[in-house]
Amino acid sequence: MKKYYQHLLASFILLSGALAAPALASTPELSDRTFRTVNKVQELIAKERYSDAIARLNKAINSSGKKEYDRAVLLQQMGFLYSLQDNYPKAAEYFTKSLKTNALPVPVAQQVRYSLAQLLLAEGNFKQSVKTMKQWFEVAKTTDEKPQAHAYITLASAYVQLEDYRNAIAPTKKAIAMSKKPSESWYVLLMAAHYELKQFKSVAGVLKTLTTKYPKKKQYWMQLSGIYMELNQEKNSLATLELAHKFGLLSEEKELLRLTNFQAYLGIPYRAAKTLEDEMGKGTIARTAKNQDKLGNYWQQAKALDDAIIAYRKAYDMKPTVKTQMKIARLMIQDKQYKSATQFTLKAAPDAKGDDKAELAYLRGMAYFELEQPTNALKAMKTAAQSKEMQAIAGPWINFLQDQS
């Protein structure tokens, strides 16, 4: 979260445009000499002769004497000059000195104060940035100047850097409410503040707005699904994932498998099976033995036994294991595919042990019995009974079949 705030801060510094050059009020206090100095400095800045501009300003400041307005303008100009060179600490120093003269007209002082708050934010002096912005808002109340949305965001971002998330929320909401086109980053800032305070319902509300405004951005759908899980709203969490899938945003196999697992977990295995089958058909999910087995499991949960057997058979063909063979054989009997069961259980999987082979023989005997082939059924049950583990189950069948012959 810290890295995110640092990244977000960088974008906030110049949201209201580049730091404005000082506006010179047409007042009688500004001497001709200072006026000419500022004009010359502007020419030097245009030519990027910053060192010469600084030298000229330093000379003028040292000779400004008791002319407070001249001094204030020169200090303001110096701060602007340093800001052009990305020397934020120096720029902040001179803007602060300019304001301390109390000689600038209110509109100009407000401009300097706002720029100073942004610079303090950029150099990591967050407490002072908050203090400066609060002063800016207080002065704004006494003027015709109406605070713009970016002013509230500057204050909010400073609060966030101080980890004072509770105080960051109100100005962020204010900025969003008063803007016709709120920045995406403002919503993200608001969401982050709510998240840090564990206000998950509010987080969900902001994320719903983000998914509406930016429906093609996968991260907001995934975050919203996760927040719904935090709120124990599993159905909403799944619905969110399914919408993201509908919009074609789930492109990674792990995301798609998460979706199918979730569908099955919430008791809709048929939808899970269809999703998995479709994605394997597209190639977005690999058609591996593991995934085929998963597909078989979904179909089995959905009571689609024939589809389950087909899926398990594909898994078995890719990687024959006795575990899968047992599942297939049992499903074949359950689905009344008795002939197929007798054939499929004749040859045990490579990893089958003695007890496994005995159980396969038992299942084969069951299938033969259903096919009304008692002789073959008896033979299979006797094979099964050779295992101590299967004796107790196969024994009664042997007695029954022998009595019938």
Side-chain angles (χ1 to χ4, degrees):
M1 207 46 96
K2 274 286 187 185
K3 289 183 179 178
Y4 159 73
Y5 291 140
Q6 291 167 356
H7 172 72
L8 197 60
L9 172 59
S11 67
F12 283 153
I13 299 304
L14 300 179
L15 274 176
S16 58
L19 294 172
L24 301 182
S26 55
T27 60
E29 289 89 352
L30 190 64
S31 68
D32 289 341
R33 182 179 179 182
T34 298
F35 187 81
R36 288 195 300 273
T37 297
V38 171
N39 281 340
K40 184 59 179 178
V41 167
Q42 291 291 337
E43 291 176 13
L44 293 171
I45 289 174
K47 297 175 182 178
E48 297 185 4
R49 292 170 56 185
Y50 300 130
S51 296
D52 291 341
I54 289 172
R56 188 172 287 266
L57 280 173
N58 273 325
K59 184 178 179 181
I61 291 169
N62 292 333
S63 62
S64 61
K66 295 182 180 180
K67 298 175 183 177
E68 289 299 318
Y69 181 63
D70 285 39
R71 183 176 179 81
V73 170
L74 292 168
L75 290 168
Q76 177 201 16
Q77 184 73 31
M78 186 73 90
F80 170 66
L81 183 54
Y82 275 117
S83 73
L84 287 177
Q85 300 176 78
D86 295 331
N87 190 337
Y88 292 166
K90 274 289 186 182
E93 176 188 337
Y94 279 96
F95 280 149
T96 300
K97 288 179 179 179
S98 178
L99 288 170
K100 282 183 177 179
T101 65
N102 291 318
L104 292 172
V106 172
V108 180
Q110 279 291 80
Q111 179 187 17
V112 174
R113 191 171 285 113
Y114 185 70
S115 297
L116 174 60
Q118 291 183 309
L119 290 170
L120 291 167
L121 186 60
E123 64 172 295
N125 194 341
F126 309 125
K127 286 185 178 179
Q128 197 60 35
S129 180
V130 167
K131 182 179 178 180
T132 304
M133 279 308 301
K134 283 184 173 181
Q135 291 172 346
W136 187 92
F137 278 109
E138 284 300 314
V139 175
K141 292 177 183 178
T142 67
T143 68
D144 294 332
E145 182 182 10
K146 292 183 179 180
Q148 299 298 307
H150 290 297
Y152 290 100
I153 289 298
T154 300
L155 177 60
S157 59
Y159 275 128
V160 164
Q161 289 294 329
L162 290 170
E163 298 184 3
D164 186 352
Y165 306 111
R166 201 169 299 279
N167 278 322
I169 290 173
T172 308
K173 284 185 174 180
K174 179 72 174 177
I176 290 171
M178 68 189 298
S179 178
K180 291 182 179 179
K181 292 184 179 180
S183 169
E184 178 182 353
S185 61
W186 301 356
Y187 287 107
V188 176
L189 179 63
L190 179 60
M191 174 190 66
H194 281 306
Y195 184 84
E196 292 293 342
L197 294 170
K198 300 189 183 304
Q199 297 172 349
F200 298 135
K201 285 186 179 180
S202 295
V203 174
V206 178
L207 281 167
K208 284 169 71 175
T209 300
L210 284 167
T211 55
T212 301
K213 286 181 171 290
Y214 309 98
K216 296 299 181 181
K217 293 203 170 183
K218 179 171 69 176
Q219 69 266 33
Y220 299 139
W221 293 99
M222 302 303 284
Q223 289 168 355
L224 180 56
S225 179
I227 286 297
Y228 277 136
M229 287 298 289
E230 291 279 359
L231 293 169
N232 295 316
Q233 297 180 21
E234 293 178 336
K235 289 184 179 179
N236 284 337
S237 180
L238 175 58
T240 302
L241 278 183
E242 289 184 327
L243 274 173
H245 182 234
K246 182 180 179 180
F247 290 142
L249 301 178
L250 304 187
S251 55
E252 297 180 21
E253 183 176 284
K254 64 180 180 181
E255 295 169 343
L256 293 162
L257 288 174
R258 178 189 170 199
L259 172 60
T260 63
N261 287 336
F262 206 174
Q263 288 170 327
Y265 170 74
L266 288 185
I268 40 178
Y270 180 84
R271 199 184 302 174
K274 288 296 293 180
T275 302
L276 180 54
E277 195 169 58
D278 290 345
E279 295 301 331
M280 284 200 292
K282 293 175 187 176
T284 46
I285 292 180
R287 196 178 289 279
T288 62
K290 182 179 179 180
N291 288 336
Q292 279 293 155
D293 187 81
K294 186 184 293 287
L295 179 60
N297 182 262
Y298 292 157
W299 283 128
Q300 186 175 354
Q301 289 180 51
K303 310 299 182 185
L305 302 186
D306 193 48
D307 289 322
I309 290 168
I310 292 170
Y312 281 136
R313 284 295 295 264
K314 288 181 180 178
Y316 186 79
D317 290 342
M318 292 178 183
K319 186 179 180 180
T321 65
V322 71
K323 181 180 178 181
T324 305
Q325 188 177 22
M326 291 289 190
K327 287 192 285 190
I328 295 169
R330 293 186 189 110
L331 284 177
M332 283 177 169
I333 292 173
Q334 190 177 343
D335 200 37
K336 300 182 180 180
Q337 298 183 26
Y338 304 125
K339 185 175 181 181
S340 296
T342 61
Q343 295 170 347
F344 186 66
T345 54
L346 277 171
K347 183 180 179 181
D351 64 334
K353 296 183 172 28
D355 289 339
D356 298 322
K357 293 176 182 178
E359 187 172 350
L360 287 170
Y362 171 77
L363 293 171
R364 186 164 61 254
M366 291 281 294
Y368 275 130
F369 176 78
E370 295 293 345
L371 289 170
E372 298 183 358
Q373 297 181 24
T375 302
N376 288 330
L378 179 59
K379 181 180 177 182
M381 290 299 179
K382 286 182 176 180
T383 300
Q386 292 175 11
S387 163
K388 291 182 179 180
E389 188 173 315
M390 296 300 298
Q391 277 180 354
I393 302 173
W397 274 100
I398 293 170
N399 294 333
F400 172 77
L401 290 168
Q402 286 176 336
D403 290 341
Q404 297 299 311
S405 60

